[in-house]
């Protein structure tokens, strides 16, 4: 079920039957406590997590990654942390909260105190019309960044949103994401990037931004 990423980080995968894309969840472990990030729900997940450590939180990076977060938090009896975002034209946080019954979740933003000492940074790039096309939290755990949709790795190469997901003929969207993510990487000194899709990039993040 779990694939080791680092000594205290594991991931698991599931395929979204509606979208036909691979979803990736991560679990971070510190001092025997663990937090699940953007978790796809699969059979036996809650019990398997309890074997790894004491669950203390389920955390979402954006509202496209609700996945099994609410169910898992309820089964584990822990708080669900949702990002305090302004949203985009496509994603209105208040609508997502109402639609998915997340009113009791704990909102977090830059400066909030998260379990396991996780730190958070907002990435909200804008297009040529100054309209945001992505809005999510990037989490820092040790020398790793955890993102939802901002970036991912394929064959050891860093791919920045939108990749092949949406048109970007002049590369302006990619450059907007790169500008913000590069700043976060410099500030944190992060060496690796863990993503909610495809592969993680281990050890070479500084060299690829």
């Amino acid at each position: 079920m779990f694939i080791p990423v680092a000594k205290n980080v594991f991931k698991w995968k599931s395929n979204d039957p509606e979208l036909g894309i691979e979803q990736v969840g991560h679990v971070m472990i510190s001092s025997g406590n663990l937090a699940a990030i953007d978790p796809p729900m699969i059979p036996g997940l809650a019990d398997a997590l309890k074997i790894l450590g004491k669950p203390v939180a389920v955390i979402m990076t954006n509202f496209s990654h609700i996945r099994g977060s609410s169910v898992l938090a309820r089964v584990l009896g822990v708080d669900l942390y949702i990002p305090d975002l302004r949203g985009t034209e496509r994603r209105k946080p208040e609508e997502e909260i109402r639609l998915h019954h997340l009113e009791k979740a704990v909102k977090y933003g830059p400066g909030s105190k998260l379990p396991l000492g996780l730190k958070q940074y907002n990435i909200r790039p804008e297009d040529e019309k100054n309209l945001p096309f992505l809005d999510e939290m990037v989490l820092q755990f040790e020398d790793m960044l955890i993102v939802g949709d901002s970036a991912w790795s394929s064959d050891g190469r860093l791919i920045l949103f939108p990749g092949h997901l949406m048109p970007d003929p002049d590369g302006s969207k990619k450059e907007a994401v790169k500008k913000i993510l590069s700043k976060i990487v410099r500030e944190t000194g992060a060496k690796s990037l863990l993503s909610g899709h495809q592969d993680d990039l281990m050890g070479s993040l500084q060299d690829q931004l």
Side-chain angles (χ1 to χ4, degrees):
M1 177 181 289
F2 294 121
I3 302 168
V5 175
K7 183 173 66 174
N8 52 353
V9 179
F10 296 83
K11 69 179 179 180
W12 71 100
K13 301 179 180 181
S14 178
N15 188 270
D16 186 318
E18 294 182 358
L19 299 178
I21 60 175
E22 186 177 69
Q23 300 175 331
V24 182
H26 289 86
V27 55
M28 336 311 274
I29 306 170
S30 178
S31 300
N33 295 326
L34 63 83
I37 315 296
D38 289 345
M41 199 63 186
I42 57 176
L45 176 60
D47 289 337
L49 287 171
K50 292 176 183 178
I51 294 173
L52 292 180
K54 178 185 177 182
V56 295
V58 174
I59 306 174
M60 287 166 35
T61 59
N62 65 51
F63 286 98
S64 294
H65 284 196
I66 293 173
R67 300 176 174 177
S69 296
S70 184
V71 173
L72 183 62
R74 185 172 67 252
V75 171
L76 293 175
V78 301
D79 284 330
L80 169 60
Y81 290 79
I82 62 175
D84 190 9
L85 304 172
R86 287 176 286 170
T88 66
E89 290 299 315
R90 288 186 64 250
R91 290 281 180 178
K92 302 291 186 183
E94 60 275 13
E95 294 177 6
E96 299 283 351
I97 290 171
R98 178 185 57 81
L99 180 63
H100 296 283
H101 309 291
L102 302 176
E103 290 86 357
K104 294 183 179 180
V106 180
K107 289 185 178 181
Y108 75 93
S112 298
K113 186 176 181 180
L114 285 175
L116 276 61
L118 288 163
K119 298 179 180 178
Q120 55 280 337
Y121 306 84
N122 183 222
I123 181 165
R124 193 171 187 266
E126 298 179 347
D127 61 18
E128 64 280 357
K129 297 180 180 178
N130 297 320
L131 295 174
F133 56 87
L134 182 68
D135 193 11
E136 70 177 19
M137 289 295 178
V138 176
L139 302 173
Q140 181 189 4
F141 180 69
E142 298 180 352
D143 65 350
M144 293 168 273
L145 296 181
I146 307 101
V147 302
D149 294 321
S150 303
W152 56 92
S153 175
S154 178
D155 296 324
R157 184 168 62 95
L158 181 66
I159 309 295
L160 298 171
F161 185 90
H164 61 276
L165 300 178
M166 61 188 295
D168 188 25
D170 61 355
S172 60
K173 290 183 174 66
K174 172 185 173 181
E175 286 303 312
V177 172
K178 182 177 181 179
K179 180 178 180 180
I180 301 174
L181 187 57
S182 295
K183 184 175 184 292
I184 295 172
V185 170
R186 289 196 303 271
E187 289 180 1
T188 60
K191 299 177 182 178
S192 301
L193 182 136
L194 316 182
S195 178
H197 298 284
Q198 295 202 38
D199 300 325
D200 298 325
L201 183 70
M202 303 305 295
S204 63
L205 181 58
Q206 295 280 338
D207 299 329
Q208 297 201 40
L209 272 177

PDB file of all heavy atoms in Angstrom, residues 30-47:
ATOM      1  N   SER A  30       6.545  12.320  12.275  1.00  0.00           N
ATOM      2  CA  SER A  30       7.499  13.019  13.127  1.00  0.00           C
ATOM      3  C   SER A  30       7.204  12.695  14.583  1.00  0.00           C
ATOM      4  O   SER A  30       6.073  12.887  15.041  1.00  0.00           O
ATOM      5  CB  SER A  30       7.420  14.538  12.899  1.00  0.00           C
ATOM      6  OG  SER A  30       8.312  15.227  13.755  1.00  0.00           O
ATOM      7  N   SER A  31       8.202  12.204  15.303  1.00  0.00           N
ATOM      8  CA  SER A  31       8.070  11.864  16.729  1.00  0.00           C
ATOM      9  C   SER A  31       6.878  10.946  16.995  1.00  0.00           C
ATOM     10  O   SER A  31       6.171  11.097  17.984  1.00  0.00           O
ATOM     11  CB  SER A  31       7.954  13.139  17.572  1.00  0.00           C
ATOM     12  OG  SER A  31       9.086  13.961  17.410  1.00  0.00           O
ATOM     13  N   GLY A  32       6.630  10.027  16.083  1.00  0.00           N
ATOM     14  CA  GLY A  32       5.552   9.064  16.251  1.00  0.00           C
ATOM     15  C   GLY A  32       4.191   9.539  15.804  1.00  0.00           C
ATOM     16  O   GLY A  32       3.240   8.747  15.735  1.00  0.00           O
ATOM     17  N   ASN A  33       4.063  10.833  15.493  1.00  0.00           N
ATOM     18  CA  ASN A  33       2.802  11.392  14.997  1.00  0.00           C
ATOM     19  C   ASN A  33       2.838  11.480  13.474  1.00  0.00           C
ATOM     20  O   ASN A  33       3.911  11.602  12.871  1.00  0.00           O
ATOM     21  CB  ASN A  33       2.558  12.777  15.575  1.00  0.00           C
ATOM     22  CG  ASN A  33       2.368  12.751  17.079  1.00  0.00           C
ATOM     23  OD1 ASN A  33       1.815  11.792  17.621  1.00  0.00           O
ATOM     24  ND2 ASN A  33       2.826  13.789  17.766  1.00  0.00           N
ATOM     25  N   LEU A  34       1.653  11.432  12.859  1.00  0.00           N
ATOM     26  CA  LEU A  34       1.632  11.519  11.407  1.00  0.00           C
ATOM     27  C   LEU A  34       0.479  12.373  10.910  1.00  0.00           C
ATOM     28  O   LEU A  34      -0.547  12.515  11.566  1.00  0.00           O
ATOM     29  CB  LEU A  34       1.567  10.114  10.776  1.00  0.00           C
ATOM     30  CG  LEU A  34       0.359   9.224  11.030  1.00  0.00           C
ATOM     31  CD1 LEU A  34      -0.801   9.552  10.090  1.00  0.00           C
ATOM     32  CD2 LEU A  34       0.742   7.765  10.856  1.00  0.00           C
ATOM     33  N   ALA A  35       0.689  12.942   9.737  1.00  0.00           N
ATOM     34  CA  ALA A  35      -0.334  13.733   9.049  1.00  0.00           C
ATOM     35  C   ALA A  35      -0.452  13.222   7.620  1.00  0.00           C
ATOM     36  O   ALA A  35       0.561  12.964   6.955  1.00  0.00           O
ATOM     37  CB  ALA A  35       0.030  15.212   9.046  1.00  0.00           C
ATOM     38  N   ALA A  36      -1.683  13.054   7.152  1.00  0.00           N
ATOM     39  CA  ALA A  36      -1.945  12.613   5.785  1.00  0.00           C
ATOM     40  C   ALA A  36      -2.271  13.836   4.933  1.00  0.00           C
ATOM     41  O   ALA A  36      -3.089  14.671   5.323  1.00  0.00           O
ATOM     42  CB  ALA A  36      -3.100  11.619   5.752  1.00  0.00           C
ATOM     43  N   ILE A  37      -1.624  13.940   3.773  1.00  0.00           N
ATOM     44  CA  ILE A  37      -1.788  15.100   2.885  1.00  0.00           C
ATOM     45  C   ILE A  37      -2.525  14.680   1.616  1.00  0.00           C
ATOM     46  O   ILE A  37      -2.119  13.736   0.931  1.00  0.00           O
ATOM     47  CB  ILE A  37      -0.420  15.699   2.495  1.00  0.00           C
ATOM     48  CG1 ILE A  37       0.509  15.830   3.709  1.00  0.00           C
ATOM     49  CG2 ILE A  37      -0.617  17.042   1.805  1.00  0.00           C
ATOM     50  CD1 ILE A  37       0.035  16.781   4.769  1.00  0.00           C
ATOM     51  N   ASP A  38      -3.612  15.383   1.287  1.00  0.00           N
ATOM     52  CA  ASP A  38      -4.373  15.140   0.054  1.00  0.00           C
ATOM     53  C   ASP A  38      -4.650  13.649  -0.165  1.00  0.00           C
ATOM     54  O   ASP A  38      -4.319  13.087  -1.216  1.00  0.00           O
ATOM     55  CB  ASP A  38      -3.621  15.704  -1.163  1.00  0.00           C
ATOM     56  CG  ASP A  38      -3.625  17.215  -1.205  1.00  0.00           C
ATOM     57  OD1 ASP A  38      -4.427  17.834  -0.477  1.00  0.00           O
ATOM     58  OD2 ASP A  38      -2.820  17.789  -1.964  1.00  0.00           O
ATOM     59  N   PRO A  39      -5.272  12.976   0.796  1.00  0.00           N
ATOM     60  CA  PRO A  39      -5.357  11.511   0.734  1.00  0.00           C
ATOM     61  C   PRO A  39      -6.438  10.956  -0.197  1.00  0.00           C
ATOM     62  O   PRO A  39      -7.627  11.207   0.012  1.00  0.00           O
ATOM     63  CB  PRO A  39      -5.691  11.129   2.178  1.00  0.00           C
ATOM     64  CG  PRO A  39      -6.470  12.314   2.690  1.00  0.00           C
ATOM     65  CD  PRO A  39      -5.856  13.514   2.038  1.00  0.00           C
ATOM     66  N   PRO A  40      -6.060  10.184  -1.222  1.00  0.00           N
ATOM     67  CA  PRO A  40      -7.063   9.401  -1.942  1.00  0.00           C
ATOM     68  C   PRO A  40      -7.553   8.311  -0.986  1.00  0.00           C
ATOM     69  O   PRO A  40      -6.758   7.743  -0.231  1.00  0.00           O
ATOM     70  CB  PRO A  40      -6.282   8.786  -3.107  1.00  0.00           C
ATOM     71  CG  PRO A  40      -4.987   9.528  -3.158  1.00  0.00           C
ATOM     72  CD  PRO A  40      -4.722  10.002  -1.780  1.00  0.00           C
ATOM     73  N   MET A  41      -8.831   8.021  -0.996  1.00  0.00           N
ATOM     74  CA  MET A  41      -9.371   7.012  -0.087  1.00  0.00           C
ATOM     75  C   MET A  41      -9.301   5.641  -0.737  1.00  0.00           C
ATOM     76  O   MET A  41      -9.819   5.448  -1.848  1.00  0.00           O
ATOM     77  CB  MET A  41     -10.812   7.352   0.281  1.00  0.00           C
ATOM     78  CG  MET A  41     -11.292   6.653   1.534  1.00  0.00           C
ATOM     79  SD  MET A  41     -10.336   7.148   2.986  1.00  0.00           S
ATOM     80  CE  MET A  41     -11.016   6.047   4.226  1.00  0.00           C
ATOM     81  N   ILE A  42      -8.642   4.704  -0.072  1.00  0.00           N
ATOM     82  CA  ILE A  42      -8.547   3.338  -0.555  1.00  0.00           C
ATOM     83  C   ILE A  42      -8.882   2.405   0.608  1.00  0.00           C
ATOM     84  O   ILE A  42      -8.749   2.787   1.781  1.00  0.00           O
ATOM     85  CB  ILE A  42      -7.142   3.019  -1.116  1.00  0.00           C
ATOM     86  CG1 ILE A  42      -6.073   3.264  -0.050  1.00  0.00           C
ATOM     87  CG2 ILE A  42      -6.857   3.848  -2.358  1.00  0.00           C
ATOM     88  CD1 ILE A  42      -4.677   2.873  -0.506  1.00  0.00           C
ATOM     89  N   PRO A  43      -9.314   1.177   0.328  1.00  0.00           N
ATOM     90  CA  PRO A  43      -9.676   0.248   1.408  1.00  0.00           C
ATOM     91  C   PRO A  43      -8.514  -0.004   2.367  1.00  0.00           C
ATOM     92  O   PRO A  43      -7.371  -0.209   1.939  1.00  0.00           O
ATOM     93  CB  PRO A  43     -10.043  -1.035   0.643  1.00  0.00           C
ATOM     94  CG  PRO A  43     -10.475  -0.567  -0.700  1.00  0.00           C
ATOM     95  CD  PRO A  43      -9.607   0.615  -1.004  1.00  0.00           C
ATOM     96  N   GLY A  44      -8.798   0.023   3.670  1.00  0.00           N
ATOM     97  CA  GLY A  44      -7.789  -0.277   4.678  1.00  0.00           C
ATOM     98  C   GLY A  44      -6.839   0.854   5.008  1.00  0.00           C
ATOM     99  O   GLY A  44      -5.907   0.674   5.795  1.00  0.00           O
ATOM    100  N   LEU A  45      -7.062   2.044   4.415  1.00  0.00           N
ATOM    101  CA  LEU A  45      -6.112   3.141   4.608  1.00  0.00           C
ATOM    102  C   LEU A  45      -6.003   3.571   6.068  1.00  0.00           C
ATOM    103  O   LEU A  45      -4.896   3.735   6.591  1.00  0.00           O
ATOM    104  CB  LEU A  45      -6.523   4.343   3.751  1.00  0.00           C
ATOM    105  CG  LEU A  45      -5.668   5.607   3.910  1.00  0.00           C
ATOM    106  CD1 LEU A  45      -4.213   5.330   3.542  1.00  0.00           C
ATOM    107  CD2 LEU A  45      -6.222   6.752   3.062  1.00  0.00           C
ATOM    108  N   ALA A  46      -7.123   3.766   6.731  1.00  0.00           N
ATOM    109  CA  ALA A  46      -7.091   4.252   8.115  1.00  0.00           C
ATOM    110  C   ALA A  46      -6.315   3.302   9.019  1.00  0.00           C
ATOM    111  O   ALA A  46      -5.462   3.733   9.816  1.00  0.00           O
ATOM    112  CB  ALA A  46      -8.510   4.451   8.639  1.00  0.00           C
ATOM    113  N   ASP A  47      -6.578   2.011   8.912  1.00  0.00           N
ATOM    114  CA  ASP A  47      -5.880   1.037   9.751  1.00  0.00           C
ATOM    115  C   ASP A  47      -4.389   0.989   9.422  1.00  0.00           C
ATOM    116  O   ASP A  47      -3.547   0.846  10.319  1.00  0.00           O
ATOM    117  CB  ASP A  47      -6.490  -0.354   9.567  1.00  0.00           C
ATOM    118  CG  ASP A  47      -7.880  -0.456  10.190  1.00  0.00           C
ATOM    119  OD1 ASP A  47      -8.183   0.330  11.101  1.00  0.00           O
ATOM    120  OD2 ASP A  47      -8.653  -1.324   9.746  1.00  0.00           O
TER     121      ASP A  47
END
